[in-house]
Structures are given as C-alpha cells and as structure tokens.
Amino acid sequence: MIPDRLPPLDSIAAERAVRRLDQLTKPPGSLGRLERLAVELAAIQGESLPQVAPPAMLVFAADHGVAAEGVSAFPQEVTVQMVANFTAGGAAINVFARQHAAHLEVIDVGVATPLPDGAARHPRLVNEKVRLGTANMLENDAMTRDEALQAMAAGARAAKRAASAGSRCLIIGEMGIANTTASSALLAVLTGGPVAGLVGNGTGLDASGVAHKRSVIERALAARRPDRNDPLGALAAVGGLEIAAMAGAFLGGAEQRLPLLVDGFIATVAALVGRRLCPGLREYLIFGHRSQEPGHELALKALDARPLLDFGLRLGEGTGAALAFPLLDSACRLLSEMATFDDAGIGAGS
C-alpha cells in the first residue's frame, strides 16, 4: 500500500518548459520564482504546458484522545461541528473552493462524535472512519500500525478519486481538535528536535496552556518511546488518523503525477511522514505558506522547503495552500498564454 517508488519527474517536459520560457516576451528569468514554479509543474505532470485547474481540496477530519488532557483551547466537540460547517459550505475552505471552482471532499477518518444527519448524508462527506478517534497517547499508542495504514489507504483513495474527477492539483487540509499536539509529538520524533521549540498556542492557548501542552507531549514521548527510524510506528504511537490520511493522500496524489500543494504545520508533518516512507515524494511537494506554529519552521527545514506565502496563518483546513493556488495557476498560464518573441514579431535582442 505504501509505494516502493513514485514516477520520476519528466526532465524532457521540464526542458521544453525552460526553452519556451526563454522565448517569451520578457528578459530571461525576469519573472523569477514564478518561472521556476512553471518548470517544476511541467516536470511533475510530464507536460510542457502544465495545468493545475481545476484543483481538488481534500479535508481529512478525526479526533484525538489526547484532547482529554486539555491541550486545546476548544473542546473536542468542535471537530464534528466544523465537519458539519464544511458540508454546509460555511467554512473558510469552502469560500476558497468556490473561488477556484475546486472539487471539495470532507473525509471522516475518525471523528468521535456522531455527525448530524444532514452532514452525514451530504454528498461532500465521505465516510472512511477507521475508529472513533485515536487513543490518549499518554496512556496507549494513538492507534495500531494497521489502523494507521487503513487511514493512509483512505487518503490514497481520495487522491485517486480526485484525479479520476479531472482534478489537476491537490490541496490537502485537515480538521481535528488537538492535532497540533499530535503533530508536534510526531515532528519531535522524526527530527529529534526538542519539544520546547516545537509547541505553539494552536487555536489560542495562553502561556500556561502552552506549557501544559509541552509537558503532555514530553510525557507521552517518554511513555510511548517511538523510534525515529520507524515512521509508520511513530505515526501509530503519537500521530493522528487525519495525519495518516493526509500522508496517504500525498503519496496517492504523487502516484497520479499531481502537484501537491502543502498547507501549514500539520500538513507539512504529514508530508514529512510520507517522505520518510517514500523519499521520492519530496519532488511532488509545493509548499503553500509558512504557519505561525513554531514547529512549522523545523518541519519545513526537514523537507528543505521554501513556502510561497507568509501571511501569519494558523487556521488549517488547507486554507493557506488554497491562497497559494493562484500562483500555480499563474505559472501555468504564463507558459501557455504569453506570446513568444516570434508570435509578437519582436526581436529577442531588442
């Protein structure tokens, strides 16, 4: 289920994109990073004139047993309330999905509270529930290895559905109260970084709340003792079902040669898990924004990533990646719609 390898980038498509960029009515390289982004998209899709529209937005939702330790400013019930909001079309990611004419799915891989009938039956909601939230990582492994693999498989299926529906790019987001706690714990394992430098205020903790959250993570890591060289085991020990599903969606999307627009802290940790399981994933990842969560900087460094935006965001849902999507679309349109010197009858040396 975890791919041994992913399709290699298409160097021929990338070279053709470079040649076309140099023929367009502008000084070579004058559009800077946008040009490099266009070449990157060509290599990922294997097309000298890539397209990223329409995108798919996949929001994975699950609960976390560690929420019982008071590590979030909001109660666990907010997870199910926000899932209902997603299906009703009222969340920030819904706004951006409408803006970009995106295919939007909300995938329940572990919401602990029953969904209202209207949300549960909504066509935007996909029921892939593995279990009713994770266990409290202070007391037990968050999930079994098999459950982590089941959630990853659900993510891969969502990516393949999006590709089958004609989506040309994936924006992958999440919802789950206490998932910054799970992500911080998982990142500490995978990077060996100290917990103190990773933990932020999540959805609005004060200083004492952040200190408590840090203590919970440190105690959980001492109790679980996950191995940084076993990413699947670490995911099962201290991760989350939606984090596992996101990792699976990244891998499944790469198998379909889709550009993967990574959101903030939690999505980046999921991408790091995916890359540790299959190193070739990194070539398909494009990082949308830099989160306010302090751990995001370390996660980005672990992936040698430079985000497109820095807007001080910390919402999740895929919103930061959605805001960055127009840059990818502009890079594609630059290649396909801008005139060459020959088209415009302009001498390249003039």
Side-chain angles (χ1 to χ4, degrees), residues 162-179:
S164 297
S167 300
R168 304 299 302 267
C169 173
L170 291 188
I171 293 169
I172 297 171
E174 40 60 43
M175 178 62 213
I177 293 299
N179 61 9

Side-chain angles (χ1 to χ4, degrees), residues 4-85:
D4 293 328
R5 63 184 65 186
L6 295 168
L9 297 185
D10 190 325
S11 60
I12 295 175
E15 290 169 7
R16 288 174 177 164
V18 169
R19 286 199 298 270
R20 179 167 175 81
L21 283 166
D22 288 344
Q23 294 167 3
L24 299 179
T25 49
K26 59 175 182 57
S30 59
L31 284 172
R33 194 174 175 190
L34 194 68
E35 296 190 34
R36 296 194 295 275
L37 185 57
V39 174
E40 187 176 353
L41 292 168
I44 289 171
Q45 292 188 340
E47 300 174 8
S48 57
L49 297 176
Q51 298 178 37
V52 291
M57 298 181 180
L58 307 176
V59 181
F60 296 94
D63 278 306
H64 296 258
V66 74
E69 302 299 327
V71 292
S72 173
F74 290 93
Q76 190 174 75
E77 291 76 16
V78 171
T79 300
V80 71
Q81 292 167 359
M82 281 303 301
V83 169
N85 193 28

Side-chain angles (χ1 to χ4, degrees), residues 69-324:
E69 302 299 327
V71 292
S72 173
F74 290 93
Q76 190 174 75
E77 291 76 16
V78 171
T79 300
V80 71
Q81 292 167 359
M82 281 303 301
V83 169
N85 193 28
F86 295 146
T87 62
I93 194 62
N94 297 101
V95 174
F96 301 143
R98 290 190 291 267
Q99 177 186 359
H100 301 311
H103 167 81
L104 174 63
E105 277 190 3
V106 183
I107 303 98
D108 173 6
V109 288
V111 178
T113 307
L115 289 163
D117 283 347
R121 296 175 183 173
H122 197 283
R124 193 176 286 136
L125 192 283
V126 179
N127 184 358
E128 288 269 21
K129 202 184 297 284
V130 175
R131 56 180 284 171
L132 298 177
T134 54
N136 186 341
M137 67 174 78
L138 272 180
E139 301 170 354
N140 294 287
D141 283 356
M143 59 189 128
T144 67
R145 294 172 76 96
D146 183 63
E147 287 166 343
L149 288 170
Q150 289 179 52
M152 290 184 66
R157 285 192 291 271
K160 290 173 184 176
R161 283 194 303 273
S164 297
S167 300
R168 304 299 302 267
C169 173
L170 291 188
I171 293 169
I172 297 171
E174 40 60 43
M175 178 62 213
I177 293 299
N179 61 9
T180 57
T181 297
S183 298
S184 297
L186 190 51
L187 181 61
V189 175
L190 295 177
T191 63
V195 172
L198 306 180
V199 178
N201 64 359
T203 50
L205 292 173
D206 59 16
S208 63
V210 172
H212 172 66
K213 180 177 174 179
R214 181 169 63 242
S215 172
V216 168
I217 294 170
E218 290 171 340
R219 287 155 52 205
L221 293 178
R224 305 275 71 79
R225 302 182 64 84
D227 181 357
R228 67 177 298 182
N229 296 312
D230 178 13
L232 180 61
L235 178 63
V238 297
L241 291 157
E242 82 279 38
I243 299 170
M246 293 168 79
F250 285 128
L251 291 168
E255 287 186 296
Q256 303 294 316
R257 301 195 72 100
L258 293 174
L260 306 170
L261 193 45
V262 184
D263 194 43
F265 176 51
I266 298 154
T268 304
V269 171
L272 180 59
V273 172
R275 186 208 182 180
R276 292 289 176 88
L277 292 168
C278 188
L281 176 64
R282 176 62 185 87
E283 297 177 324
Y284 286 83
L285 302 174
I286 299 169
F287 295 84
H289 78 110
R290 177 177 281 105
S291 168
Q292 276 196 323
E293 280 291 307
H296 196 206
E297 199 63 41
L298 180 60
L300 290 168
K301 183 177 179 181
L303 287 160
D304 190 25
R306 181 184 170 200
L308 296 172
L309 301 176
D310 188 349
F311 274 18
L313 306 176
R314 55 182 178 88
L315 176 59
E317 303 176 12
T319 50
L323 286 172

